[in-house]
Amino acid sequence: MIRFERVWKRFPERGDALKDLSFELASGEMAFLTGHSGAGKSTLLRLIGLMERPSRGQVLVNRMNLSDLPPRKIPHHRRQLGMIFQDHHLLPNRTVFENVALPLVVAGMTRKEIGKRVRAALDQVGLLRFERALPITLSGGEKQRVGIARAVVARPPVILADEPTGNLDPELSREIFALFERFHDVGVTLLIATHNIDIIERMPYRVMRLHDGRLEADSGGW
Amino acid sequence: MKKPLRSRARQQRSLSVRLDAWLGHHRDSALLTLQRLSKAPLAAAMTVAAMAVALLLPASLYVLTDNLKALGGYWEGSAAISVFLQPGIEETTAADLATQWQARSDITRAQVVSRAQGLKEFREYSGLGVALDQLTENPLPVVIAVNPAPQIISETQLTHLITGLEQITEVDFTRLDTEWARRLQALVKLLERALWLLSLALAAGVLLVVGNTIRLEIENQRDEIEVMHLVGATTGFIRRPFLYSGAWYGLLSGVAAWAMVWLAVVLMQIPADRLAESYQSVFHVRALGPLASVLLIGGGAALGILGSWIAVEHHLGTMRARR
């Protein structure tokens, strides 16, 4: 589903963030991405979402070479990805419902369909009763779950999460990971960058460790 | 993954669904931006006022030239023709001619100015009083002052009337003072040229004002735009609300400028009435016609959209570059 072929990413101000990175993530696979801060986890995810372009090498998503993708097609590419961020990127002046609905609105769905899907997604993360609330009234864990609902509402085949539990206590973190497992169960491909070693070590999934932009250890794959 | 083959019916359905959603987003953008405007009425009013003033200047200059044109035509039509009769024609003959002419459909009034009266007026206006006293007899011919009928408006009609009068045997020559009318015409032409140049400069001003306002809106919604990008919004989708914002500013300022012009016309009507009264006639100050009104308001909206488009293109571009 996701394939990196000898990918390098160089930033003019801080040198090589990724060095000669190659790996493949199968469709429906769930994997964790670990490593110290600045090891290149976020950069890797940003390359998949085309917020960055590789300096060398190729990134393929769903057999599509992203270097062949013209800029005007980027929005359509991103609609296949559900992206979750540490600081959740919610819009403070929109309700929980409107935040979650955003990917469907930009994809041009009708109101009726949007209502159904948003409620289903909120139900999945257990926040249906907060539909009309503004994000500021929610706790950190709740906000993150709204972010997850937004990422999955359009039912994308791939979910990318960048430190989704970075600001949460262990209890809430476990809840979030349990949610991810549920998406894994229905066949979604997940790549989750995290520091939460305690939790992921107890889970039976592939772990890829980055160190200074290189893949230092990989518990699975090819 | 291969996409499953879709049936034609499903494709059509999906097209109509997408069109529906697209129209829905247009409606939502229009309403949302109007709502935002009403939430910060003072800031919006300032922008609208600045744009309205910029639109008002060419609009009022247009009304001015339009009225000058109307006035020119109006006065030209009612210009008096002085018909000088051959020397030696007596005033009784002149009176007969005047009565005859007054019956014509192209003449409203024909009045004999007697030789004595002519001399008196000449003495008063020329300042040659003492010199004229030296004359033993009155050298002036009899004059008939002719007012053309109101339907004689164009220059060709007027010329036709004059040449007709000059062919009458008793008539020596005629004089029509149209010099001022020609000058007025030249002035109107000059004003029209100025109007175009001013319109161009002020249109650029309107673009700058709306562009700057939209730039601030983009800055305020930086985070929102970022998130929109991340969830797969196209540039067109992100641009749309800003274009509506610009359209509202333009539309409102067009309407405001129109209202101000209308108010000015109403205020001008009172002194215009008084002026016309002193000429024993009626003159209606012309307001903006339907076409000019549509042009003003529609032009305002179009400038709003254009200014907003330029701002969005520029600032979304720099946002992308910074990321």
Side-chain angles (χ1 to χ4, degrees), chain A residues 56-164:
Chain A
R56 258 194 282 168
Q58 284 170 343
V59 179
L60 288 90
V61 175
N62 203 5
R63 290 191 197 137
M64 171 82 198
N65 190 337
L66 297 190
S67 9
D68 297 339
L69 205 67
R72 66 185 171 81
K73 290 272 187 193
I74 292 177
H76 303 276
H77 167 66
R78 287 191 184 145
R79 289 176 201 169
Q80 297 181 48
L81 309 172
M83 288 190 266
I84 298 160
F85 310 91
Q86 180 172 0
D87 55 0
H88 25 75
H89 278 350
L90 299 179
L91 300 177
N93 53 353
R94 309 266 188 120
T95 64
V96 165
F97 181 96
E98 287 166 338
N99 267 287
V100 174
L102 213 53
L104 305 180
V105 174
V106 304
M109 240 176 235
T110 55
R111 241 163 234 254
K112 213 173 114 193
E113 188 72 4
I114 289 172
K116 266 198 301 201
R117 291 223 195 170
V118 169
R119 292 200 179 89
L122 281 174
D123 197 28
Q124 268 183 304
V125 299
L127 289 176
L128 199 48
R129 63 186 186 286
F130 291 122
E131 193 181 329
R132 288 160 195 277
L134 286 176
I136 197 156
T137 62
L138 303 180
S139 72
E142 285 163 347
K143 276 185 210 161
Q144 194 53 277
R145 282 189 283 158
V146 174
I148 293 171
R150 185 182 62 192
V152 302
V153 74
R155 298 175 197 157
V158 177
I159 288 176
L160 306 173
D162 193 1
E163 301 278 4

Side-chain angles (χ1 to χ4, degrees), chain A residues 46 51 62-63 75-76 78-79 83 85 89 91 93-94 102-103 105-106 108-111 150, chain B residues 1 17-18 20-21 24-25 27-28 32 36 223-224 227-234 237 323:
Chain A
R46 290 171 68 82
M51 284 94 94
N62 203 5
R63 290 191 197 137
H76 303 276
R78 287 191 184 145
R79 289 176 201 169
M83 288 190 266
F85 310 91
H89 278 350
L91 300 177
N93 53 353
R94 309 266 188 120
L102 213 53
V105 174
V106 304
M109 240 176 235
T110 55
R111 241 163 234 254
R150 185 182 62 192
Chain B
M1 273 206 301
V17 163
R18 284 169 73 177
D20 199 33
H25 186 241
R27 186 189 51 221
D28 291 350
L32 182 79
R36 273 197 200 134
D223 294 341
E224 184 159 349
V227 171
M228 293 282 201
H229 272 307
L230 289 177
V231 300
T234 56
F237 186 92
R323 248 209 335 259

